Structure formats: C-alpha cells, structure tokens
mmCIF file of all heavy atoms in Angstrom:
data_model
loop_
_atom_site.group_PDB
_atom_site.id
_atom_site.type_symbol
_atom_site.label_atom_id
_atom_site.label_comp_id
_atom_site.label_asym_id
_atom_site.label_seq_id
_atom_site.Cartn_x
_atom_site.Cartn_y
_atom_site.Cartn_z
ATOM 1 N N ASP A 1 66.171 -98.790 -49.185
ATOM 2 C CA ASP A 1 67.031 -99.044 -47.954
ATOM 3 C C ASP A 1 67.357 -100.512 -47.473
ATOM 4 O O ASP A 1 68.024 -100.833 -46.695
ATOM 5 C CB ASP A 1 66.463 -98.251 -46.695
ATOM 6 C CG ASP A 1 65.108 -98.743 -46.245
ATOM 7 O OD1 ASP A 1 64.545 -99.619 -46.964
ATOM 8 O OD2 ASP A 1 64.578 -98.188 -45.256
ATOM 9 N N HIS A 2 66.638 -101.419 -48.333
ATOM 10 C CA HIS A 2 66.879 -102.890 -48.081
ATOM 11 C C HIS A 2 67.803 -103.413 -48.928
ATOM 12 O O HIS A 2 68.249 -104.576 -48.922
ATOM 13 C CB HIS A 2 65.556 -103.469 -48.329
ATOM 14 C CG HIS A 2 65.502 -105.004 -47.895
ATOM 15 N ND1 HIS A 2 65.815 -105.366 -46.787
ATOM 16 C CD2 HIS A 2 65.332 -106.124 -48.748
ATOM 17 C CE1 HIS A 2 65.614 -106.770 -46.735
ATOM 18 N NE2 HIS A 2 65.489 -107.216 -47.858
ATOM 19 N N LEU A 3 68.294 -102.568 -49.938
ATOM 20 C CA LEU A 3 69.214 -103.055 -51.043
ATOM 21 C C LEU A 3 70.646 -102.343 -50.897
ATOM 22 O O LEU A 3 70.720 -101.212 -50.389
ATOM 23 C CB LEU A 3 68.659 -102.799 -52.384
ATOM 24 C CG LEU A 3 67.294 -103.467 -52.708
ATOM 25 C CD1 LEU A 3 66.811 -102.939 -53.894
ATOM 26 C CD2 LEU A 3 67.456 -104.980 -52.826
ATOM 27 N N SER A 4 71.583 -103.077 -51.429
ATOM 28 C CA SER A 4 72.945 -102.380 -51.642
ATOM 29 C C SER A 4 72.773 -101.360 -52.755
ATOM 30 O O SER A 4 71.830 -101.422 -53.517
ATOM 31 C CB SER A 4 74.007 -103.341 -51.999
ATOM 32 O OG SER A 4 73.679 -103.804 -53.251
ATOM 33 N N GLN A 5 73.688 -100.385 -52.803
ATOM 34 C CA GLN A 5 73.499 -99.336 -53.977
ATOM 35 C C GLN A 5 73.515 -100.065 -55.312
ATOM 36 O O GLN A 5 72.761 -99.723 -56.200
ATOM 37 C CB GLN A 5 74.659 -98.307 -53.858
ATOM 38 C CG GLN A 5 74.485 -97.117 -54.851
ATOM 39 C CD GLN A 5 73.273 -96.411 -54.480
ATOM 40 O OE1 GLN A 5 72.916 -96.148 -53.355
ATOM 41 N NE2 GLN A 5 72.483 -96.127 -55.611
ATOM 42 N N GLN A 6 74.303 -101.116 -55.409
ATOM 43 C CA GLN A 6 74.276 -101.847 -56.710
ATOM 44 C C GLN A 6 72.983 -102.357 -56.989
ATOM 45 O O GLN A 6 72.516 -102.346 -58.128
ATOM 46 C CB GLN A 6 75.374 -102.958 -56.773
ATOM 47 C CG GLN A 6 75.480 -103.618 -58.018
ATOM 48 C CD GLN A 6 76.530 -104.749 -58.094
ATOM 49 O OE1 GLN A 6 77.164 -104.931 -57.015
ATOM 50 N NE2 GLN A 6 76.611 -105.479 -59.129
ATOM 51 N N ALA A 7 72.305 -103.051 -56.127
ATOM 52 C CA ALA A 7 71.057 -103.665 -56.227
ATOM 53 C C ALA A 7 70.016 -102.608 -56.518
ATOM 54 O O ALA A 7 69.063 -102.739 -57.191
ATOM 55 C CB ALA A 7 70.669 -104.430 -55.070
ATOM 56 N N ILE A 8 70.091 -101.321 -55.853
ATOM 57 C CA ILE A 8 69.189 -100.280 -56.101
ATOM 58 C C ILE A 8 69.205 -99.888 -57.609
ATOM 59 O O ILE A 8 68.250 -99.682 -58.291
ATOM 60 C CB ILE A 8 69.557 -99.092 -55.222
ATOM 61 C CG1 ILE A 8 69.301 -99.438 -53.685
ATOM 62 C CG2 ILE A 8 68.719 -97.765 -55.771
ATOM 63 C CD1 ILE A 8 69.797 -98.276 -52.835
ATOM 64 N N ASN A 9 70.441 -99.729 -58.177
ATOM 65 C CA ASN A 9 70.634 -99.506 -59.504
ATOM 66 C C ASN A 9 70.047 -100.410 -60.467
ATOM 67 O O ASN A 9 69.604 -100.213 -61.519
ATOM 68 C CB ASN A 9 72.133 -99.077 -59.851
ATOM 69 C CG ASN A 9 72.518 -97.817 -59.022
ATOM 70 O OD1 ASN A 9 71.774 -97.037 -58.651
ATOM 71 N ND2 ASN A 9 73.873 -97.762 -58.776
ATOM 72 N N SER A 10 70.283 -101.736 -60.153
ATOM 73 C CA SER A 10 69.971 -102.785 -61.141
ATOM 74 C C SER A 10 68.870 -103.670 -60.616
ATOM 75 O O SER A 10 68.320 -104.522 -61.474
ATOM 76 C CB SER A 10 71.175 -103.547 -61.593
ATOM 77 O OG SER A 10 71.704 -104.305 -60.281
ATOM 78 N N GLN A 11 68.715 -103.945 -59.307
ATOM 79 C CA GLN A 11 67.689 -104.824 -58.698
ATOM 80 C C GLN A 11 68.031 -106.283 -59.258
ATOM 81 O O GLN A 11 67.154 -106.953 -59.618
ATOM 82 C CB GLN A 11 66.315 -104.382 -58.968
ATOM 83 C CG GLN A 11 65.877 -103.202 -58.391
ATOM 84 C CD GLN A 11 64.468 -102.965 -58.355
ATOM 85 O OE1 GLN A 11 63.693 -103.707 -58.871
ATOM 86 N NE2 GLN A 11 63.920 -101.748 -58.019
ATOM 87 N N ARG A 12 69.289 -106.537 -59.458
ATOM 88 C CA ARG A 12 69.689 -107.905 -59.860
ATOM 89 C C ARG A 12 70.345 -108.747 -58.714
ATOM 90 O O ARG A 12 70.854 -108.182 -57.811
ATOM 91 C CB ARG A 12 70.845 -107.803 -60.969
ATOM 92 C CG ARG A 12 70.319 -107.159 -62.199
ATOM 93 C CD ARG A 12 71.448 -106.887 -63.211
ATOM 94 N NE ARG A 12 70.975 -106.402 -64.389
ATOM 95 C CZ ARG A 12 70.512 -107.109 -65.514
ATOM 96 N NH1 ARG A 12 70.588 -108.359 -65.554
ATOM 97 N NH2 ARG A 12 70.105 -106.512 -66.571
ATOM 98 N N LEU A 13 70.206 -110.067 -58.913
ATOM 99 C CA LEU A 13 70.776 -111.018 -57.895
ATOM 100 C C LEU A 13 72.237 -110.991 -58.101
ATOM 101 O O LEU A 13 72.853 -110.682 -59.254
ATOM 102 C CB LEU A 13 70.125 -112.273 -58.023
ATOM 103 C CG LEU A 13 68.704 -112.301 -57.644
ATOM 104 C CD1 LEU A 13 68.070 -113.703 -58.153
ATOM 105 C CD2 LEU A 13 68.531 -112.282 -56.178
ATOM 106 N N PRO A 14 73.115 -111.521 -57.172
ATOM 107 C CA PRO A 14 74.514 -111.597 -57.480
ATOM 108 C C PRO A 14 74.812 -112.748 -58.158
ATOM 109 O O PRO A 14 75.291 -113.790 -57.783
ATOM 110 C CB PRO A 14 75.040 -111.728 -55.922
ATOM 111 C CG PRO A 14 73.883 -112.354 -55.184
ATOM 112 C CD PRO A 14 72.657 -111.823 -55.832
ATOM 113 N N ILE A 15 74.594 -112.621 -59.593
ATOM 114 C CA ILE A 15 74.671 -113.778 -60.442
ATOM 115 C C ILE A 15 76.024 -114.475 -60.605
ATOM 116 O O ILE A 15 76.216 -115.521 -60.835
ATOM 117 C CB ILE A 15 74.041 -113.491 -61.838
ATOM 118 C CG1 ILE A 15 74.751 -112.462 -62.548
ATOM 119 C CG2 ILE A 15 72.522 -113.185 -61.611
ATOM 120 C CD1 ILE A 15 74.312 -112.299 -63.973
ATOM 121 N N SER A 16 77.129 -113.575 -60.575
ATOM 122 C CA SER A 16 78.491 -114.146 -60.576
ATOM 123 C C SER A 16 78.731 -115.199 -59.542
ATOM 124 O O SER A 16 79.291 -116.117 -59.875
ATOM 125 C CB SER A 16 79.418 -113.015 -60.502
ATOM 126 O OG SER A 16 79.260 -112.273 -59.332
ATOM 127 N N ASP A 17 78.334 -114.866 -58.348
ATOM 128 C CA ASP A 17 78.440 -115.872 -57.365
ATOM 129 C C ASP A 17 77.635 -117.208 -57.651
ATOM 130 O O ASP A 17 78.150 -118.205 -57.333
ATOM 131 C CB ASP A 17 78.056 -115.338 -55.861
ATOM 132 C CG ASP A 17 78.932 -114.213 -55.470
ATOM 133 O OD1 ASP A 17 80.046 -114.111 -55.899
ATOM 134 O OD2 ASP A 17 78.465 -113.391 -54.552
ATOM 135 N N LEU A 18 76.479 -116.982 -58.157
ATOM 136 C CA LEU A 18 75.648 -118.109 -58.486
ATOM 137 C C LEU A 18 76.184 -119.076 -59.590
ATOM 138 O O LEU A 18 76.336 -120.268 -59.373
ATOM 139 C CB LEU A 18 74.328 -117.652 -58.893
ATOM 140 C CG LEU A 18 73.199 -118.633 -59.155
ATOM 141 C CD1 LEU A 18 72.921 -119.500 -57.973
ATOM 142 C CD2 LEU A 18 71.865 -118.097 -59.669
ATOM 143 N N PHE A 19 76.806 -118.342 -60.629
ATOM 144 C CA PHE A 19 77.448 -119.142 -61.629
ATOM 145 C C PHE A 19 78.750 -119.831 -61.126
ATOM 146 O O PHE A 19 78.919 -121.013 -61.428
ATOM 147 C CB PHE A 19 77.814 -118.130 -62.787
ATOM 148 C CG PHE A 19 76.658 -117.836 -63.709
ATOM 149 C CD1 PHE A 19 75.758 -116.941 -63.533
ATOM 150 C CD2 PHE A 19 76.506 -118.684 -64.935
ATOM 151 C CE1 PHE A 19 74.725 -116.764 -64.342
ATOM 152 C CE2 PHE A 19 75.471 -118.455 -65.752
ATOM 153 C CZ PHE A 19 74.573 -117.513 -65.516
ATOM 154 N N ASN A 20 79.484 -119.091 -60.370
ATOM 155 C CA ASN A 20 80.754 -119.705 -59.864
ATOM 156 C C ASN A 20 80.387 -120.964 -58.927
ATOM 157 O O ASN A 20 81.083 -122.029 -58.958
ATOM 158 C CB ASN A 20 81.433 -118.783 -59.075
ATOM 159 C CG ASN A 20 82.010 -117.674 -59.823
ATOM 160 O OD1 ASN A 20 82.254 -117.944 -61.141
ATOM 161 N ND2 ASN A 20 82.371 -116.463 -59.294
ATOM 162 N N GLN A 21 79.343 -120.846 -58.043
ATOM 163 C CA GLN A 21 78.951 -121.976 -57.238
ATOM 164 C C GLN A 21 78.456 -123.054 -58.018
ATOM 165 O O GLN A 21 78.627 -124.241 -57.632
ATOM 166 C CB GLN A 21 77.871 -121.476 -56.196
ATOM 167 C CG GLN A 21 77.602 -122.434 -55.025
ATOM 168 C CD GLN A 21 76.508 -123.481 -55.467
ATOM 169 O OE1 GLN A 21 75.720 -123.107 -56.304
ATOM 170 N NE2 GLN A 21 76.559 -124.580 -54.725
ATOM 171 N N SER A 22 77.782 -122.795 -59.156
ATOM 172 C CA SER A 22 77.121 -123.856 -59.815
ATOM 173 C C SER A 22 78.160 -124.882 -60.458
ATOM 174 O O SER A 22 77.774 -125.996 -60.753
ATOM 175 C CB SER A 22 76.187 -123.312 -60.972
ATOM 176 O OG SER A 22 77.035 -122.652 -61.930
ATOM 177 N N SER A 23 79.352 -124.463 -60.780
ATOM 178 C CA SER A 23 80.330 -125.354 -61.319
ATOM 179 C C SER A 23 80.684 -126.466 -60.410
ATOM 180 O O SER A 23 81.101 -127.549 -60.935
ATOM 181 C CB SER A 23 81.645 -124.534 -61.760
ATOM 182 O OG SER A 23 82.251 -124.009 -60.579
ATOM 183 N N ALA A 24 80.459 -126.278 -59.161
ATOM 184 C CA ALA A 24 80.858 -127.387 -58.198
ATOM 185 C C ALA A 24 79.624 -128.291 -57.973
ATOM 186 O O ALA A 24 79.792 -129.415 -57.791
ATOM 187 C CB ALA A 24 81.281 -126.716 -56.831
ATOM 188 N N SER A 25 78.475 -127.702 -58.024
ATOM 189 C CA SER A 25 77.253 -128.476 -57.727
ATOM 190 C C SER A 25 76.165 -127.821 -58.812
ATOM 191 O O SER A 25 75.532 -126.755 -58.470
ATOM 192 C CB SER A 25 76.869 -128.251 -56.299
ATOM 193 O OG SER A 25 75.578 -128.920 -56.148
ATOM 194 N N PRO A 26 75.887 -128.457 -59.836
ATOM 195 C CA PRO A 26 74.894 -128.001 -60.862
ATOM 196 C C PRO A 26 73.569 -127.687 -60.302
ATOM 197 O O PRO A 26 73.086 -128.431 -59.463
ATOM 198 C CB PRO A 26 74.834 -128.960 -62.009
ATOM 199 C CG PRO A 26 76.162 -129.761 -61.841
ATOM 200 C CD PRO A 26 76.580 -129.712 -60.426
ATOM 201 N N LEU A 27 72.938 -126.463 -60.629
ATOM 202 C CA LEU A 27 71.633 -126.155 -60.075
ATOM 203 C C LEU A 27 70.702 -126.335 -61.159
ATOM 204 O O LEU A 27 70.803 -125.857 -62.355
ATOM 205 C CB LEU A 27 71.744 -124.648 -59.583
ATOM 206 C CG LEU A 27 72.632 -124.383 -58.454
ATOM 207 C CD1 LEU A 27 72.621 -122.913 -58.179
ATOM 208 C CD2 LEU A 27 72.159 -125.129 -57.224
ATOM 209 N N LYS A 28 69.528 -126.869 -60.841
ATOM 210 C CA LYS A 28 68.394 -127.024 -61.811
ATOM 211 C C LYS A 28 67.084 -126.802 -60.968
ATOM 212 O O LYS A 28 67.030 -127.202 -59.828
ATOM 213 C CB LYS A 28 68.251 -128.405 -62.463
ATOM 214 C CG LYS A 28 69.541 -128.738 -63.398
ATOM 215 C CD LYS A 28 69.491 -130.078 -63.907
ATOM 216 C CE LYS A 28 70.770 -130.546 -64.602
ATOM 217 N NZ LYS A 28 70.646 -131.868 -65.332
ATOM 218 N N SER A 29 66.071 -126.348 -61.635
ATOM 219 C CA SER A 29 64.835 -126.123 -60.993
ATOM 220 C C SER A 29 63.631 -125.855 -61.992
ATOM 221 O O SER A 29 63.807 -125.644 -63.138
ATOM 222 C CB SER A 29 64.921 -124.835 -59.966
ATOM 223 O OG SER A 29 63.760 -124.697 -59.172
ATOM 224 N N ASN A 30 62.383 -125.928 -61.401
ATOM 225 C CA ASN A 30 61.210 -125.538 -62.092
ATOM 226 C C ASN A 30 60.673 -124.194 -61.467
ATOM 227 O O ASN A 30 60.940 -123.990 -60.317
ATOM 228 C CB ASN A 30 60.189 -126.629 -62.028
ATOM 229 C CG ASN A 30 60.672 -127.916 -62.708
ATOM 230 O OD1 ASN A 30 61.218 -127.915 -63.694
ATOM 231 N ND2 ASN A 30 60.266 -129.046 -62.097
ATOM 232 N N PHE A 31 60.077 -123.516 -62.296
ATOM 233 C CA PHE A 31 59.497 -122.203 -61.628
ATOM 234 C C PHE A 31 58.400 -121.744 -62.529
ATOM 235 O O PHE A 31 58.214 -122.077 -63.707
ATOM 236 C CB PHE A 31 60.536 -121.104 -61.495
ATOM 237 C CG PHE A 31 61.059 -120.477 -62.696
ATOM 238 C CD1 PHE A 31 60.575 -119.324 -63.169
ATOM 239 C CD2 PHE A 31 61.927 -121.148 -63.547
ATOM 240 C CE1 PHE A 31 61.022 -118.692 -64.377
ATOM 241 C CE2 PHE A 31 62.471 -120.430 -64.580
ATOM 242 C CZ PHE A 31 62.035 -119.306 -65.072
ATOM 243 N N GLN A 32 57.456 -120.877 -61.831
ATOM 244 C CA GLN A 32 56.428 -120.228 -62.628
ATOM 245 C C GLN A 32 56.602 -118.873 -62.821
ATOM 246 O O GLN A 32 57.180 -118.110 -62.027
ATOM 247 C CB GLN A 32 55.154 -120.462 -61.844
ATOM 248 C CG GLN A 32 54.319 -121.681 -62.206
ATOM 249 C CD GLN A 32 52.843 -121.568 -61.743
ATOM 250 O OE1 GLN A 32 52.500 -120.748 -60.946
ATOM 251 N NE2 GLN A 32 52.121 -122.484 -62.358
ATOM 252 N N TYR A 33 56.294 -118.302 -64.016
ATOM 253 C CA TYR A 33 56.526 -116.935 -64.387
ATOM 254 C C TYR A 33 55.335 -116.504 -65.252
ATOM 255 O O TYR A 33 55.038 -117.123 -66.190
ATOM 256 C CB TYR A 33 57.764 -116.663 -65.098
ATOM 257 C CG TYR A 33 57.998 -115.231 -65.552
ATOM 258 C CD1 TYR A 33 58.307 -114.177 -64.690
ATOM 259 C CD2 TYR A 33 57.862 -114.794 -66.967
ATOM 260 C CE1 TYR A 33 58.456 -112.846 -65.015
ATOM 261 C CE2 TYR A 33 58.061 -113.484 -67.271
ATOM 262 C CZ TYR A 33 58.404 -112.573 -66.345
ATOM 263 O OH TYR A 33 58.524 -111.297 -66.717
ATOM 264 N N LYS A 34 54.489 -115.485 -64.618
ATOM 265 C CA LYS A 34 53.250 -114.972 -65.289
ATOM 266 C C LYS A 34 52.455 -116.187 -65.685
ATOM 267 O O LYS A 34 51.875 -116.343 -66.805
ATOM 268 C CB LYS A 34 53.593 -114.356 -66.599
ATOM 269 C CG LYS A 34 54.391 -112.959 -66.361
ATOM 270 C CD LYS A 34 54.438 -112.015 -67.597
ATOM 271 C CE LYS A 34 55.033 -110.726 -67.208
ATOM 272 N NZ LYS A 34 55.308 -109.919 -68.350
ATOM 273 N N GLN A 35 52.219 -117.119 -64.700
ATOM 274 C CA GLN A 35 51.307 -118.198 -64.660
ATOM 275 C C GLN A 35 51.643 -119.270 -65.797
ATOM 276 O O GLN A 35 50.821 -119.998 -66.236
ATOM 277 C CB GLN A 35 49.878 -117.769 -64.902
ATOM 278 C CG GLN A 35 49.377 -116.754 -63.647
ATOM 279 C CD GLN A 35 47.992 -116.329 -63.881
ATOM 280 O OE1 GLN A 35 47.275 -116.632 -64.813
ATOM 281 N NE2 GLN A 35 47.529 -115.618 -62.836
ATOM 282 N N ARG A 36 52.999 -119.352 -66.150
ATOM 283 C CA ARG A 36 53.337 -120.398 -67.069
ATOM 284 C C ARG A 36 54.623 -121.091 -66.393
ATOM 285 O O ARG A 36 55.317 -120.502 -65.632
ATOM 286 C CB ARG A 36 53.943 -119.665 -68.452
ATOM 287 C CG ARG A 36 52.747 -118.951 -69.167
ATOM 288 C CD ARG A 36 53.251 -118.550 -70.447
ATOM 289 N NE ARG A 36 53.096 -119.634 -71.422
ATOM 290 C CZ ARG A 36 54.036 -119.829 -72.394
ATOM 291 N NH1 ARG A 36 55.003 -118.956 -72.557
ATOM 292 N NH2 ARG A 36 53.859 -120.861 -73.269
ATOM 293 N N ASN A 37 54.734 -122.391 -66.815
ATOM 294 C CA ASN A 37 55.784 -123.327 -66.097
ATOM 295 C C ASN A 37 56.994 -123.238 -67.026
ATOM 296 O O ASN A 37 56.869 -123.479 -68.193
ATOM 297 C CB ASN A 37 55.210 -124.647 -65.946
ATOM 298 C CG ASN A 37 54.028 -124.796 -64.970
ATOM 299 O OD1 ASN A 37 54.036 -124.046 -63.950
ATOM 300 N ND2 ASN A 37 53.078 -125.500 -65.424
ATOM 301 N N TYR A 38 58.114 -123.141 -66.381
ATOM 302 C CA TYR A 38 59.412 -123.075 -66.945
ATOM 303 C C TYR A 38 60.307 -124.031 -66.309
ATOM 304 O O TYR A 38 60.164 -124.293 -65.053
ATOM 305 C CB TYR A 38 60.113 -121.680 -67.082
ATOM 306 C CG TYR A 38 59.272 -120.724 -67.852
ATOM 307 C CD1 TYR A 38 58.167 -120.018 -67.326
ATOM 308 C CD2 TYR A 38 59.702 -120.359 -69.167
ATOM 309 C CE1 TYR A 38 57.429 -119.097 -68.056
ATOM 310 C CE2 TYR A 38 58.983 -119.450 -69.940
ATOM 311 C CZ TYR A 38 57.943 -118.893 -69.369
ATOM 312 O OH TYR A 38 57.176 -117.847 -70.141
ATOM 313 N N THR A 39 61.407 -124.488 -66.933
ATOM 314 C CA THR A 39 62.588 -125.105 -66.354
ATOM 315 C C THR A 39 63.817 -124.242 -66.503
ATOM 316 O O THR A 39 63.926 -123.519 -67.476
ATOM 317 C CB THR A 39 62.784 -126.509 -66.874
ATOM 318 O OG1 THR A 39 63.147 -126.324 -68.184
ATOM 319 C CG2 THR A 39 61.563 -127.401 -66.699
ATOM 320 N N CYS A 40 64.734 -124.371 -65.554
ATOM 321 C CA CYS A 40 66.006 -123.578 -65.652
ATOM 322 C C CYS A 40 67.068 -124.317 -65.019
ATOM 323 O O CYS A 40 66.857 -125.134 -64.110
ATOM 324 C CB CYS A 40 65.863 -122.164 -64.995
ATOM 325 S SG CYS A 40 65.499 -122.115 -63.286
#
C-alpha cells in the first residue's frame, strides 16, 4: 500500500525520469552493495 501498482509489480525506481534528468546534470556516486564498494 506504499507503492503504486507499477512499483508493486516491479519494485523499480522511475529510471526514465532519472536518465532524462541526468542529461542536464550528470549524476555520479559511490555506494555499497553486499558489503562491497562500487561506483556508478
């Protein structure tokens, strides 16, 4: 009940908006996944 129906089905972030926004201002970050360090 915290998600839209689309998110219930896929549990994905709205990546199309993220990709579109990035063209104006590139996004970069570091993050940890399963106790390992990544860049993205």
Side-chain angles (χ1 to χ4, degrees):
D1 59 357
H2 186 64
L3 302 168
S4 67
Q5 189 60 47
Q6 180 181 0
I8 292 171
N9 293 335
S10 65
Q11 294 190 7
R12 293 173 179 269
L13 293 167
I15 63 173
S16 59
D17 292 343
L18 185 60
F19 277 86
N20 291 336
Q21 189 271 338
S22 69
S23 62
S25 177
L27 296 175
K28 299 178 184 179
S29 185
N30 300 317
F31 70 102
Q32 272 201 340
Y33 177 72
K34 292 186 175 179
Q35 299 181 356
R36 302 186 77 214
N37 295 317
Y38 294 83
T39 60
C40 63

